[in-house]
Amino acid sequence: VVTAPAFNVAADAAAEAATIAERLVKAIAEPFDLDGHRVVVGSSIGIAIIPADGTTGDLLLRHADLALYRAKHEGRGRHCFFEPEMGAAAQTRRDLEMELRRALEAPEPQEFMVHYQPLVDATTRAVTGFEALLRWQHPERGLIPPAEFVPIAEEIGLIGVLGELVLARACREAKTWPVPVRIAVNVSALQFSRDHFVED
């Protein structure tokens, strides 16, 4: 009796998709000449497979896009398959984006605070200044670290508003301190492209 080998449609589709994705990434990365200039292009690929990841074109594209976002986040030149938790993470991110917009609508946003980290001379142990650190005190989520909300602010174009807020607040508060000390304020690289950055 001869039995046919087991055929796993999902596993075979995933393996074939991965092979195609790897070939595409490699082919696109091949250098080429453009008007005498050597050009190298990188790529990332998100993969969603029917029917496991969706049965409609819209859903498959949405899931492939979430997988693409993960592939880019993990480093260019790779592929990534959709996983169900990506949908939950994307919803959390969308919620945070809407709440960030809401928090910044106030004329003087109260949810954002500036904390000050002392800069100390290692030999004299004297405080030589302070670094201003922005924190978001969300009314329901509690203290949200900058690593969670600053990248979102950069992506949706609100980093300039946040940057101006922390700069103005840190300078205003430092003026009230009894001893004049230096204050350092971190800025996003995206803020340097703003027309009025130096004036701000």
Side-chain angles (χ1 to χ4, degrees):
V1 176
V2 178
T3 57
F7 184 69
N8 185 330
V9 176
D12 288 349
E16 187 175 351
T19 300
I20 292 169
E22 287 166 9
R23 286 174 49 206
L24 279 170
V25 168
K26 186 176 179 182
I28 292 170
E30 284 292 318
F32 62 93
D33 182 76
L34 183 64
D35 288 335
H37 299 281
R38 180 184 163 112
V39 177
V40 179
V41 177
S43 62
S44 300
I45 297 175
I47 302 170
I49 296 176
I50 194 170
D53 300 330
T55 55
T56 67
D58 284 347
L59 190 57
L60 285 167
L61 283 173
R62 204 160 51 241
H63 288 169
D65 191 48
L66 289 171
L68 174 61
Y69 184 80
R70 169 79 61 84
K72 288 179 178 178
H73 181 72
E74 291 180 354
R76 309 281 174 170
R78 63 178 60 220
H79 67 275
C80 186
F81 286 92
F82 171 76
E83 295 171 6
E85 67 269 12
M86 291 177 183
Q91 184 60 51
T92 300
R93 189 206 171 281
R94 281 192 295 272
D95 292 346
L96 208 55
E97 176 184 328
M98 289 190 308
E99 291 164 13
L100 182 62
R101 290 182 188 279
R102 175 204 48 79
L104 286 170
E105 283 175 358
E108 182 63 28
Q110 296 302 313
E111 292 178 25
F112 297 95
M113 304 173 300
V114 180
H115 291 191
Y116 298 96
Q117 179 171 289
L119 304 173
V120 180
D121 185 307
T123 53
T124 66
R125 297 189 180 184
V127 173
T128 59
F130 290 90
E131 180 180 3
L133 304 170
L134 183 65
R135 297 293 182 262
W136 182 9
Q137 183 65 50
H138 191 281
E140 283 129 32
R141 297 175 188 260
L143 199 61
I144 300 176
E148 286 185 31
F149 69 88
V150 167
I152 295 173
E154 289 178 334
E155 284 179 32
I156 64 175
L158 290 177
I159 194 63
V161 176
L162 267 179
E164 288 173 15
L165 181 136
V166 68
L167 185 62
R169 194 170 291 173
C171 290
R172 188 169 57 244
E173 291 176 2
K175 277 175 54 175
T176 67
W177 296 344
V179 179
V181 291
R182 290 181 305 160
I183 186 163
V185 178
N186 295 320
V187 295
S188 164
L190 295 177
Q191 288 178 255
F192 286 99
S193 63
R194 291 170 61 90
D195 292 339
H196 302 291
F197 176 70
V198 174
E199 289 85 348
D200 292 339

